């Protein structure tokens, strides 16, 4: 709703032993001769460093993250047979309130059987505020130190032209939370939630008609997910969580892209306090507005220069 992107600039630097003319050509688009990393990634199997500035208020308002993304594109078999690139990423982050984290991710596909997969593993040490309404006092912040390690495995099958997928996703988090505040908070947070495991198994359907998985100009994406957590999934809590996500991209002119997003989440009773849905909006601290159900609308207006 309040995320607006006015300018997107990409800069790439190639370092190698090739001649100057070849280095110049590999960074240029063959149609308009402008800066383009596509040929570099396709032919040299290079990597792209992706830096991020973290401005999340719940994590100290300022920090940085760096991801090294290694890509191996796969040639499409036809106009309607786009094949997703194999992507390997290594990332780390640090913020001013001494929160930090690191992780690895691998995304790939098996085109012959129409299957995609994503696997991730990471660790986070985060100092984060949670908010609760306290009688007489009103809204109050409670600072937690949360140190989960997490793992995720996602498998999906192509049902129609690499646009419609059905999939399974398993996520596990070994949570360890500690705090240093008065006993007032003990009545607002369940003590058994501070050191437990949360394993969820999700079933989802996805329809992705965007013209790019990175920076789309046109198309839409719809994804609906149902998750359960039980003892057989490695969870200490029994719960269900439902998610519905959709984005639409329109291009009124060649230099203007209009993006629209709607997202809804709901969770059953018995969820740990950190797993309740919350609103993710620019300028609002994470976890400030939590509830059993949330609904969020956003728009992104992008002007390409």
């Amino acid at each position: 709703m309040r995320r607006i992107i006015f300018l997107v600039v990409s800069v790439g630097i190639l370092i190698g032993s090739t001649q100057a003319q070849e280095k110049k050509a590999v960074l240029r688009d063959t149609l308009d001769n402008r800066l383009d990393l596509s040929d570099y990634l396709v032919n040299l199997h290079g990597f792209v460093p992706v830096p991020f500035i973290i401005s999340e208020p719940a994590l100290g308002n300022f920090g940085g993250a760096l991801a090294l993304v290694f890509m191996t594109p796969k040639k499409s078999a036809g106009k309607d047979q786009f094949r997703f690139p194999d992507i390997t990423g290594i990332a780390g982050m640090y913020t001013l309130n001494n929160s930090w984290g690191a992780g690895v991710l691998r995304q790939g596909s098996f085109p012959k059987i129409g299957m995609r997969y994503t696997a991730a593993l990471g660790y986070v040490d985060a100092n984060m505020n949670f908010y609760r309404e306290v009688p007489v006092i009103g809204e109050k912040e409670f600072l937690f130190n949360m140190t989960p390690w997490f793992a995720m495995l996602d498998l999906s099958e192509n049902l129609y032209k690499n646009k419609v997928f059905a999939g399974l996703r398993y996520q596990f988090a070994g949570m360890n939370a500690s705090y240093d505040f008065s006993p007032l908070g003990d009545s607002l947070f369940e003590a058994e939630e501070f050191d437990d495991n949360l394993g969820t198994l999700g079933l989802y359907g996805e329809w992705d008609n965007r013209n790019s998985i990175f920076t789309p100009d046109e198309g839409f994406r719809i994804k609906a997910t149902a998750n359960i957590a039980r003892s057989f999934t490695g969870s200490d809590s029994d719960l269900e969580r439902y998610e519905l996500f959709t984005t639409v991209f329109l291009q009124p002119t060649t230099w203007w892209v209009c993006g629209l997003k709607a997202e809804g989440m709901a969770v059953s009773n018995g969820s740990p306090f950190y797993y309740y849905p919350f609103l993710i909006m620019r300028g609002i601290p994470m976890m400030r507005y939590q509830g059993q159900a949330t609904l969020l609308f956003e728009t992104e207006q992008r002007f390409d220069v």
Side-chain angles (χ1 to χ4, degrees):
M1 187 176 298
R2 290 156 60 176
R3 294 180 179 174
I4 302 175
I5 297 179
F6 292 102
L7 178 64
V8 177
V9 179
S10 297
V11 178
I13 298 175
L14 173 66
I15 300 176
S17 60
T18 58
Q19 296 179 357
Q21 186 176 0
E22 293 176 338
K23 289 193 292 184
K24 180 179 179 181
V26 81
L27 294 176
R28 296 291 179 180
D29 186 89
T30 57
L31 297 178
D32 58 18
N33 201 38
R34 294 185 178 181
L35 180 65
D36 192 332
L37 295 178
S38 301
D39 191 61
Y40 167 53
L41 293 172
V42 170
N43 295 315
L44 300 184
H45 305 289
F47 75 91
V48 178
V50 184
F52 296 93
I53 294 177
I54 300 174
S55 59
E56 171 57 49
L59 295 175
N61 288 299
F62 186 77
L66 178 65
L68 301 180
V69 182
F70 300 81
M71 301 179 63
T72 306
K74 297 181 177 180
K75 293 183 179 180
S76 299
K79 181 179 179 181
D80 296 325
Q81 294 297 315
F82 167 76
R83 292 181 178 177
F84 295 88
D86 288 346
I87 299 175
T88 302
I90 305 173
M93 56 82 70
Y94 183 82
T95 68
L96 288 183
N97 75 342
N98 295 321
S99 295
W100 65 275
V104 295
L105 177 142
R106 171 67 179 180
Q107 175 181 291
S109 63
F110 302 106
K112 290 185 178 180
I113 60 175
M115 180 174 287
R116 295 185 304 179
Y117 68 88
T118 302
L121 182 67
Y123 177 82
V124 176
D125 187 328
N127 299 305
M128 182 174 294
N129 286 319
F130 287 78
Y131 299 78
R132 292 294 185 270
E133 289 290 331
V134 179
V136 181
I137 298 176
E139 185 182 64
K140 182 175 175 58
E141 298 179 6
F142 296 91
L143 177 63
F144 284 87
N145 174 251
M146 312 188 75
T147 56
W149 71 269
F150 61 89
M152 183 271 289
L153 178 62
D154 186 302
L155 298 173
S156 61
E157 180 65 23
N158 174 26
L159 301 181
Y160 179 73
K161 293 185 176 181
N162 277 328
K163 298 182 184 297
V164 180
F165 286 84
L168 285 171
R169 169 174 287 196
Y170 177 74
Q171 299 179 92
F172 180 87
M175 178 61 69
N176 189 305
S178 59
Y179 65 93
D180 184 16
F181 48 73
S182 67
L184 176 66
D186 294 342
S187 60
L188 302 174
F189 303 95
E190 299 294 334
E192 60 268 19
E193 299 173 355
F194 295 163
D195 189 6
D196 65 354
N197 298 324
L198 181 63
T200 62
L201 181 64
L203 174 65
Y204 67 84
E206 181 179 6
W207 185 5
D208 190 348
N209 195 40
R210 298 171 299 170
N211 65 344
S212 170
I213 63 173
F214 298 108
T215 309
D217 299 329
E218 297 177 333
F220 62 86
R221 181 188 177 204
I222 301 173
K223 185 175 183 180
T225 307
N227 301 281
I228 63 168
R230 296 291 189 273
S231 59
F232 68 85
T233 66
S235 178
D236 294 329
S237 303
D238 292 348
L239 59 91
E240 298 84 40
R241 176 167 167 151
Y242 305 96
E243 305 170 4
L244 179 61
F245 172 92
T246 180
T247 55
V248 178
F249 291 91
L250 308 170
Q251 194 168 16
T253 69
T254 57
W255 51 268
W256 175 23
V257 177
C258 175
L260 303 171
K261 171 186 171 182
E263 184 177 46
M265 297 184 185
V267 69
S268 64
N269 291 324
S271 172
F273 69 93
Y274 54 83
Y275 196 59
Y276 271 84
F278 58 93
L279 297 180
I280 305 177
M281 297 176 65
R282 182 72 64 186
I284 295 178
M286 292 173 61
M287 305 297 181
R288 181 164 189 172
Y289 298 109
Q290 285 184 285
Q292 270 192 273
T294 60
L295 185 60
L296 175 67
F297 297 94
E298 290 185 355
T299 182
E300 170 187 293
Q301 305 301 318
R302 190 175 78 237
F303 301 92
D304 296 330
V305 179

